[in-house]
Each structure stands twice: as C-alpha cells, then as structure tokens.
Amino acid sequence: MSENVKYEKTDTEDGVRKRNHIYETHYTLQCLFHWLKTSNATAAYIKIRSLHITFGRGGTTREHVHVETLVMPHFNYSDSLLTDLNVNQSQRLQRVHNSCVRFVCDVRRADHITPSFQTLNWLRLNERRNFHSLVLLFQVLHTSTPTYLASRFSYLSSYHNLFTRTQNSRILAIPTHKTSSYSSSYTISLSRLWNTLPSDIRDCRNLVAFKSKLIKHFLTA
C-alpha cells in the first residue's frame, strides 16, 4: 500500500514539473515574439535615421542599395513567425517601412506614398511577411522537411477518397480549433492564407515559378 502511495506522489510531482516546464517554455516564447515585434522596428528605425544623417535627402540608386542591405534585413528577420501582430504593432512597423520608401524615392512626408511603392515594386510589410511565410510553406509541402513543420499541414483530399474539386486543388485542411489564440497560430493562419491563393499558384511545382507568380499576385492585388 505504501509503495502505491509513493508511486502516485512521484507521478504527481513529475506531472507538476512537466507542466511548469511547459509554462516556462510558453513564457519564453512569448518574450521572444515580443522582442521580435519591438526590436525589428527599433533596429530598422535606427538604421534609416543614420542613413538620413549620413546622406541627407535620398532619391538615388545609392540610397536604394543602402536601404536594401542595411534596413530591410531587420524587417525580414523571422517575420514569418509574426502571425499575431496587433494593429498597433503592424502600424508601427509599417511607419518605419514608409520612412524607408520616402528616403529612397525622396518623397516628402505630406505626399502620398503608394505611387512610390509601385515605382519600387515593393510589397508592404504585411504582404512581405505573407510572401516569406508562403515560400516557406511551399518548401515544407514539397520536401516534407523539417518534419516538425510538415506534420502540421495536410491536404484536404487526404481525408477522403471522393472525387471532388478539392482533390486536385491542393487545399489545406484547417485543424479544428476553439480558442482565438490557436486561431491566430502559425498553422491555422498560414493554412488559411495558402487556401486563398489562386489555384495556378498553389499548383506550381517549381519554387522559382511559385515566387514569380506569388510576387505578381501581391503586387496586383
């Protein structure tokens, strides 16, 4: 009897340790994502301000190259993970990105900036994040690596054998979910985004062709 009691106690303590480890991991990831959301904007802002101080007004190829090489990597860094940005965070990042466009095209703050995006053929940051996320998903779906990501995605046609349109349209199945936090998770949000793409983009078999069609899709949307 005493041995059973001791076993139950040990099992309970082990369960507590596992739960604590999960909570600590969750907190660490939350801190990491918060750091990504804030540091990307801060680092990019510091870089663009230093370029303003160094070169003054922009508008030349030199400024374009400097922004592409010194500022844009801060926006690109782990941007595929930022699927749960709120409105304030997204706008903060976009304002810094707008400053980059104004600097490259020598546009005043009071002028409209949309024509400059079209001139540069640049995507706005939310479209840029979607582009990088979809390129990553394309590689995961076609190579089944890494396995910890590939196991999270499956085509809807794999759940039944009936001949329907979805069998050949490469539509991803959306896992059942009830909470808003899981609804904004990487798996759910990226599966939904993939399913909104035109079928000719989803059906691509070549990465270069996929990127080309995807960038045109975002630029003309």
Side-chain angles (χ1 to χ4, degrees), residues 46-62:
I46 292 173
K47 286 291 184 181
I48 193 64
R49 288 303 302 166
S50 65
L51 290 176
H52 270 293
I53 294 172
T54 304
F55 300 108
R57 297 181 63 180
T60 67
T61 304
R62 178 187 61 183

Side-chain angles (χ1 to χ4, degrees), residues 19-35:
R19 284 195 297 272
N20 289 339
H21 177 70
I22 293 172
Y23 295 149
E24 290 173 1
T25 303
H26 177 67
Y27 177 75
T28 302
L29 289 174
Q30 282 187 323
C31 293
L32 173 61
F33 292 149
H34 177 73
W35 176 81

Side-chain angles (χ1 to χ4, degrees), residues 91-207:
Q91 289 178 345
R92 182 185 178 189
L93 283 168
Q94 189 58 56
R95 281 195 295 269
V96 181
H97 192 217
N98 291 348
S99 298
C100 296
V101 176
R102 295 184 191 280
F103 176 68
V104 171
C105 297
D106 194 20
V107 178
R108 295 178 301 175
R109 189 176 181 85
D111 294 337
H112 291 291
I113 200 172
T114 300
S116 299
F117 273 101
Q118 296 171 344
T119 300
L120 295 172
N121 281 331
W122 279 11
L123 300 176
R124 296 183 183 272
L125 288 185
N126 63 322
E127 297 169 335
R128 196 179 182 93
R129 287 192 295 270
N130 290 341
F131 175 80
H132 292 154
S133 297
L134 288 169
V135 169
L136 174 61
L137 178 58
F138 178 89
Q139 294 173 303
V140 169
L141 292 175
H142 285 76
T143 63
S144 298
T145 55
T147 54
Y148 66 87
L149 281 181
S151 61
R152 294 177 175 270
F153 301 97
S154 58
Y155 292 112
L156 189 61
S157 58
S158 64
Y159 288 92
H160 56 76
N161 296 320
L162 297 177
F163 183 77
T164 63
R165 290 183 178 180
T166 58
Q167 277 192 292
N168 300 317
S169 60
R170 303 182 70 82
I171 295 291
L172 290 177
I174 306 295
T176 304
H177 56 281
K178 296 182 179 180
T179 63
S180 58
S181 58
Y182 188 47
S183 179
S184 61
S185 66
Y186 182 82
T187 304
I188 301 296
S189 58
L190 195 50
S191 296
R192 285 174 174 163
L193 182 61
W194 175 270
N195 291 345
T196 62
L197 294 176
S199 58
D200 64 307
I201 299 180
R202 294 195 307 267
D203 292 338
C204 283
R205 295 294 188 272
N206 180 273
L207 180 60

